[in-house]
């Protein structure tokens, strides 16, 4: 008689805390920073656009570089709680501290303020690395089934969309309400403290509910050997490029929207309305369309392809006709965002594909290293989306606060970075997806995964 393994069931508590940790209030903090932080630095603190671009480039580049370090460290961490779980305890505390620091106006002059925010932003980004790499790594360690992994990724995508909707659309209103409630002039501070406290609940819940079951025992070989064995697989390069492009496209969506409405349309009074349209489009994308696309198109790669093609058509319309009518702008922006936002979640499927591929070809569990490579690629995309618009604006003569008085070159840059650049990143993704190495080994990888046993009852690593 055939010996069938019991069907894997989804742990609801784990799924909830996994989805609400990185993608919960920590994501809302990221959404607020992505949408409003650059304008805070230029319009409130008084830094120049080019100096902010330099700050973003340095800090985000370092953030990308330290991701592989964190992945290697996480894969070799030895504690009685496991490799990845211990990092979920201190990370939200540091997150709260740095999030509060970023919304100050220290009054140290141009140079002093620049160094203050460089240090604070690097600290924030290193904290994000501290929890993101282990969070991505613990999913394939806790869940073996592709279908269940995709469900958890889908839950996280939904949480991301909700947090981005609230953070991008209502942050200013919430900030003002909390400022009045607590009698403080800077409402960002109580908002960051509340979000940080809630992030502690979700990360500590993930620590309590996660198990590292499907990873090999910690090896004696040096950790640099794992990195070499992974990097020799040049066929994984398309994954890296896709991760960079997806991050750039998603980041530009939020990093340029406020600038677009304030200066390209010259309607700062419509910022909250437009950001609500963008955020609701992202919400529909993650909560409604993502599971439909995965069900209809069967694989993450096919769903990603359809998403890129359809959203690029909308972006082309917006590039040429977006400023003709605000209702037209909002309707087509909503459709484009609903079709495009899922891309940032769909590329997470490729992380699990890469982990399985390395385990199939090399026989090693390198969840942290693969997650860190994805993190490195994502941060490189963030570097571009955070700094390139400001760098270009600085070159063409952008003047902070000059609503309705920007030159033609500035207006072109704003329009291109908002709607033209995502078309280019999408076309690059489509090209790279043609070389996915997992496709031809799919059946063999599924057979390998069916033979992986549960290590949760093994002795704890010490």
């Amino acid at each position: 008689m055939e010996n069938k393994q019991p069907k894997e069931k989804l742990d609801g508590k784990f799924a909830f805390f996994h989805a609400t940790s990185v993608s919960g209030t920590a994501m809302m903090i990221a959404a607020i920073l992505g949408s409003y932080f650059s304008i805070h630095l230029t319009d409130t603190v008084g830094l120049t656009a080019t100096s902010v671009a330099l700050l973003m480039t340095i800090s985000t580049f370092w953030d990308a570089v330290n991701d592989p370090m964190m992945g290697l460290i996480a894969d070799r961490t030895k504690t009685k709680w496991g490799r990845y779980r211990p990092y979920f305890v201190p990370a939200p505390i540091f997150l709260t501290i740095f999030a509060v620091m970023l919304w100050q106006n220290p009054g140290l002059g141009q140079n002093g303020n620049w160094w203050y925010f460089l240090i604070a932003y690097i600290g924030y980004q290193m904290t994000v690395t501290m929890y993101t790499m282990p969070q991505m790594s613990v999913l394939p360690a806790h869940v073996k089934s592709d279908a269940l992994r995709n469900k958890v990724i889908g839950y996280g995508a939904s949480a991301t969309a909700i947090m981005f909707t609230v953070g991008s659309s209502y942050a200013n209103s919430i900030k003002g309400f909390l400022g009045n409630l607590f009698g403080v002039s800077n409402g960002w501070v109580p908002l960051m403290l509340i979000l940080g406290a809630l992030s502690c609940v979700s990360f500590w819940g993930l620590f309590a509910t996660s198990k590292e079951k499907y990873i090999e025992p910690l090896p004696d070989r040096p950790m640099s050997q794992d990195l070499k064995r992974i990097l020799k697989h040049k066929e994984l390069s398309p994954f890296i490029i896709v991760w960079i492009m997806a991050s750039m496209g998603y980041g530009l969506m939020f990093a340029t929207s406020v600038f677009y409405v304030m200066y390209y349309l010259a309607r700062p009074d419509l910022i909250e309305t437009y950001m609500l349209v963008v955020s609701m489009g992202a919400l529909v994308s993650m909560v409604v369309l993502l599971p439909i696309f995965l069900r209809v198109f069967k694989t993450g790669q096919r769903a990603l392809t359809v998403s890129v093609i359809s959203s690029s058509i909308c972006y082309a319309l917006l590039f040429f006709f977006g400023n003709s009518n605000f209702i037209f702008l909002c309707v087509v922006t909503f459709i484009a965002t609903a079709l495009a936002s899922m891309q940032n979640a769909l590329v997470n499927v490729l992380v699990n594909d890469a982990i399985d591929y390395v385990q199939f070809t090399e026989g090693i569990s390198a969840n942290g290293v693969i997650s860190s490579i994805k993190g490195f690629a994502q941060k490189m995309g963030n570097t571009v989306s955070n700094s390139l618009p400001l760098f270009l604006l600085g070159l063409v003569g952008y003047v902070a606060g000059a609503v309705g008085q920007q030159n033609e070159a500035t207006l072109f840059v704003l329009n291109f970075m908002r709607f033209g650049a995502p078309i280019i990143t999408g076309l690059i993704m489509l090209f790279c997806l043609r070389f996915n190495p997992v496709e031809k080994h799919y059946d063999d990888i599924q057979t390998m995964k069916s033979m992986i046993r549960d290590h949760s009852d093994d002795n704890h690593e010490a």
Side-chain angles (χ1 to χ4, degrees):
M1 187 184 343
E2 184 181 357
N3 183 22
K4 291 186 177 180
Q5 294 184 346
K7 185 177 180 181
E8 188 178 12
K9 295 182 180 179
L10 184 62
D11 180 344
K13 291 180 181 178
F14 167 79
F16 174 80
F17 286 117
H18 192 276
T20 58
S21 53
V22 171
S23 299
T25 52
M27 184 60 67
M28 184 171 170
I29 291 173
I32 294 171
L33 289 171
S35 299
Y36 299 100
F37 186 53
S38 293
I39 283 188
H40 170 70
L41 294 181
T42 58
D43 292 18
T44 302
V45 178
L47 298 179
T48 65
T50 49
S51 70
V52 174
L54 179 62
L55 184 154
M56 294 291 187
T57 300
I58 293 172
S59 60
T60 314
F61 180 75
W62 166 245
D63 188 36
V65 169
N66 68 50
D67 273 13
M69 300 178 192
M70 184 65 213
L72 289 169
I73 292 170
D75 273 343
R76 286 302 197 281
T77 297
K78 294 184 179 181
T79 75
K80 65 180 181 180
W81 301 286
R83 303 180 198 180
Y84 311 119
R85 296 172 62 238
Y87 295 99
F88 302 142
V89 176
I93 299 173
F94 288 116
L95 172 66
T96 307
I97 293 170
F98 287 114
V100 170
M101 289 179 65
L102 287 172
W103 291 104
Q104 303 300 316
N105 188 355
L108 302 174
Q110 280 282 328
N111 289 337
N113 285 340
W114 190 88
W115 282 104
Y116 170 88
F117 283 106
L118 177 67
I119 294 169
Y121 200 53
I122 287 176
Y124 164 75
Q125 291 175 315
M126 290 184 70
T127 300
V128 172
T129 299
M130 179 195 294
Y131 60 67
T132 302
M133 297 304 102
Q135 190 256 11
M136 284 193 290
S137 301
V138 84
L139 175 57
H142 186 99
V143 180
K144 182 163 60 172
S145 162
D146 283 341
L148 295 183
R149 288 178 184 177
N150 290 346
K151 270 191 175 181
V152 177
I153 290 173
Y155 296 151
S158 298
T160 294
I162 293 169
M163 292 298 104
F164 258 94
T165 298
V166 178
S168 298
S169 304
Y170 301 112
N172 266 327
S173 298
I174 298 172
K175 174 203 67 168
F177 170 77
L178 291 176
N180 291 330
L181 180 65
F182 293 103
V184 295
S185 59
N186 186 355
W188 291 120
V189 172
L191 177 55
M192 293 300 113
L193 288 171
I194 291 170
L195 295 178
L198 291 173
S199 73
C200 289
V201 175
S202 57
F203 277 104
W204 295 344
L206 182 59
F207 170 81
T209 58
S210 57
K211 296 179 182 178
E212 300 176 10
K213 300 184 283 186
Y214 303 115
I215 52 177
E216 67 169 6
L218 196 63
D220 294 327
R221 61 181 178 268
M223 62 183 180
S224 59
Q225 190 180 114
D226 282 359
L227 188 58
K228 291 178 182 177
R229 291 171 70 176
I230 293 168
L231 292 179
K232 76 177 184 180
H233 288 283
K234 294 183 175 57
E235 60 270 29
L236 293 177
S237 299
F239 286 174
I240 296 174
I241 298 173
V242 168
W243 292 330
I244 293 174
M245 293 299 110
S247 176
M248 281 180 57
Y250 194 75
L252 287 170
M253 182 190 307
F254 289 93
T256 60
S257 288
V258 173
F259 281 97
Y260 179 86
V261 178
M262 178 174 285
Y263 296 114
Y264 189 78
L265 299 182
R267 292 294 303 272
D269 56 304
L270 296 177
I271 288 175
E272 279 205 358
T273 301
Y274 186 72
M275 292 306 296
L276 179 60
V277 170
V278 173
S279 301
M280 290 303 296
L283 180 65
V284 169
S285 182
M286 301 295 194
V287 177
V288 180
L289 293 185
L290 176 61
I292 293 175
F293 270 50
L294 285 172
R295 186 164 61 249
V296 171
F297 301 109
K298 307 301 182 186
T299 68
Q301 178 167 327
R302 292 195 197 106
L304 186 59
T305 300
V306 175
S307 168
V308 168
I309 294 173
S310 55
S311 63
S312 294
I313 295 172
C314 294
Y315 282 134
L317 289 172
L318 290 165
F319 179 77
F320 291 106
F321 308 111
N323 66 340
S324 60
N325 180 278
F326 187 68
I327 294 176
F328 172 82
L329 172 68
C330 289
V331 170
V332 182
T333 294
F334 177 84
I335 296 171
T337 309
L339 292 168
S341 294
M342 69 178 77
Q343 295 166 17
N344 209 40
L346 287 169
V347 296
N348 286 333
V349 174
L350 301 181
V351 177
N352 295 319
D353 285 349
I355 288 171
D356 293 339
Y357 179 77
V358 168
Q359 188 153 1
F360 170 70
T361 56
E362 296 293 331
I364 61 174
S365 294
N367 302 26
V369 176
I370 295 293
S371 297
S372 70
I373 293 173
K374 192 268 182 179
F376 172 83
Q378 182 178 2
K379 303 297 175 53
M380 291 301 292
N382 288 343
T383 301
V384 177
S385 63
N386 287 337
S387 60
L388 183 61
L390 289 166
F391 177 73
L392 293 177
L393 288 173
L395 288 180
V396 298
Y398 159 79
V399 180
V403 177
Q405 302 173 34
Q406 304 292 344
N407 60 37
E408 289 298 320
T410 296
L411 297 178
F412 175 81
V413 167
L414 289 169
N415 192 34
F416 175 77
M417 295 306 297
R418 179 64 185 93
F419 298 125
I423 298 175
I424 296 174
T425 59
L427 292 175
I428 295 172
M429 279 196 287
L430 290 182
F431 177 78
C432 292
L433 286 171
R434 298 176 59 192
F435 304 98
N436 183 350
V438 175
E439 293 291 305
K440 62 181 179 180
H441 298 292
Y442 180 80
D443 292 336
D444 293 329
I445 289 173
Q446 296 307 308
T447 301
M448 174 206 71
K449 288 169 64 178
S450 69
M451 300 171 65
I452 299 175
R453 72 182 185 89
D454 183 342
H455 291 280
S456 60
D457 293 328
D458 292 353
N459 292 329
H460 289 299
E461 297 164 338

